[in-house]
């Protein structure tokens, strides 16, 4: 994916920044592990999902066709972490109402994610603090000055800038912003850094080399499962059932 692709209009963040001083909670629904929330796309009320595993925003190709998008924007080479690349079209200007603010998303690629017509990537929210209240089924965005995150930290976290080609997640590879990494404690007090991908709708995904090194494929192997990635390709995955896991 070209590093020159910019998918957010400059006034988008300015409009959101002006609104967060009066940030309101908005309802969310967790669907198969993904956080979804109401949005309006080109006048159509629908839902979007947060996807920290992607640095770009994207619209579902079938949804784009259904609402009559022209997809006349640039065509991009997008890549799956497992199955190579694919050329996809994009919508030059996508009118969206998100967090109560009307914005224009530039050159939004059309991908395959039918359960969520719109995916919001991590770069979109980089300037804000995103607060998700899972028990209360709600979330909001706040200016960074609103919360002292260092004082409230309870999970080790680090940036994972660079090329996201490690195979940890079912997201995109290529130049751009990688999702943050969090430290998770596995059996035997093994501390492993995993990418935090809010757009992943399945179980935790491990690099196979990590599982082999710790002998987990033999000790905990359960079955295999199939899933479909953002490019519409089928992925076969070995499933493990772990006896314990600790986050924070």
């Amino acid at each position: 994916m070209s590093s020159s692709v910019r998918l957010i209009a400059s006034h988008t963040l300015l409009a959101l920044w002006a609104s967060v001083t009066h940030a309101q909670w908005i309802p969310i629904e967790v669907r198969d592990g993904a956080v979804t929330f109401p949005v309006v796309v080109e006048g159509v009320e629908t839902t979007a999902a947060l996807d920290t595993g992607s640095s770009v925003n994207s619209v579902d190709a079938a949804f784009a066709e259904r609402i009559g998008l022209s997809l006349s924007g640039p065509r991009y080479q997008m890549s799956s972490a497992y199955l190579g690349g694919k050329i996809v079209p994009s919508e030059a200007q996508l009118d969206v109402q998100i967090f109560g603010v009307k914005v224009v998303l530039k050159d939004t690629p059309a991908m395959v994610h039918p359960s969520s017509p719109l995916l919001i990537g991590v770069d979109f929210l980089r300037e804000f603090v995103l607060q998700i209240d899972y028990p209360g089924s709600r979330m909001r965005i706040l200016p960074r000055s609103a919360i002292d995150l260092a004082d409230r930290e309870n999970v080790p976290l680090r940036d994972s800038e660079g090329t996201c080609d490690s195979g940890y997640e079912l997201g995109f590879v290529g130049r751009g912003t990688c999702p943050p990494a969090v430290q998770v404690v596995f059996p035997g007090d093994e501390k492993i850094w995993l990418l935090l991908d809010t757009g992943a709708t399945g179980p935790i995904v491990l690099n196979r080399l990590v599982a082999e090194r710790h002998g987990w494929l033999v000790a905990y192997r359960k079955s295999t499962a199939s899933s479909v990635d953002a490019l519409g390709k089928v992925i076969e995955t070995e499933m493990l059932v772990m006896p314990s896991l600790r986050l924070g």
Side-chain angles (χ1 to χ4, degrees):
M1 182 173 58
S2 171
S3 59
S4 64
V5 177
R6 298 301 299 168
L7 302 173
I8 305 174
S10 60
H11 67 270
T12 295
L13 293 180
L14 292 176
L16 282 172
W17 184 261
S19 71
V20 296
T21 55
H22 300 91
Q24 299 294 319
W25 291 100
I26 64 171
I28 65 171
E29 182 180 350
V30 179
R31 299 178 182 173
D32 297 324
V35 176
T36 66
F37 55 98
V39 294
V40 179
V41 178
E42 295 289 338
V44 178
E45 294 185 359
T46 183
T47 59
L50 293 176
D51 188 0
T52 57
S54 173
S55 62
V56 302
N57 311 307
S58 62
V59 62
D60 176 60
F63 174 78
E65 180 180 2
R66 188 164 63 250
I67 66 175
L69 296 183
S70 63
L71 297 182
S72 58
R75 299 177 69 83
Y76 294 120
Q77 173 81 30
M78 308 298 288
S79 298
S80 160
Y82 293 100
L83 298 170
K86 181 179 181 181
I87 301 294
V88 300
S90 70
E91 181 66 14
Q93 296 195 57
L94 191 64
D95 294 326
V96 178
Q97 183 171 324
I98 179 172
F99 299 112
V101 179
K102 293 181 179 180
V103 298
V104 178
L105 304 182
K106 297 288 189 179
D107 301 337
T108 307
M111 306 294 286
V112 179
H113 41 78
S115 61
S116 299
L118 184 68
L119 288 186
I120 300 299
V122 67
D123 271 357
F124 188 90
L125 299 168
R126 181 157 294 278
E127 300 302 319
F128 311 103
V129 173
L130 179 65
Q131 188 175 8
I132 303 176
D133 176 7
Y134 281 95
S137 298
R138 59 182 186 168
M139 74 175 182
R140 63 179 176 177
I141 55 174
L142 301 165
R144 288 182 175 271
S145 59
I147 297 177
D148 183 355
L149 293 178
D151 182 59
R152 298 173 183 270
E153 181 181 34
N154 69 339
V155 176
L157 181 145
R158 70 185 185 192
D159 289 333
S160 51
E161 298 289 346
T163 302
C164 299
D165 60 358
S166 61
Y168 281 98
E169 84 295 345
L170 303 182
F172 305 126
V173 294
R175 299 182 185 276
T177 303
C178 300
V182 292
Q183 190 179 78
V184 179
V185 183
F186 282 84
D189 201 35
E190 295 289 346
K191 298 180 175 64
I192 297 175
W193 291 93
L194 300 179
L195 300 182
L196 180 62
D197 184 354
T198 60
T201 57
I204 292 173
V205 180
L206 284 173
N207 186 303
R208 184 180 180 85
L209 293 177
V210 173
E212 288 178 343
R213 184 166 66 246
H214 293 286
W216 294 340
L217 290 176
V218 176
Y220 306 123
R221 187 178 184 277
K222 178 69 173 181
S223 62
T224 59
S226 299
S227 60
V228 179
D229 79 346
L231 302 181
K233 298 180 180 179
V234 176
I235 301 168
E236 294 289 339
T237 308
E238 289 184 277
M239 305 296 292
L240 311 178
V241 177
M242 310 294 288
S244 66
L245 181 147
R246 187 171 78 249
L247 179 64

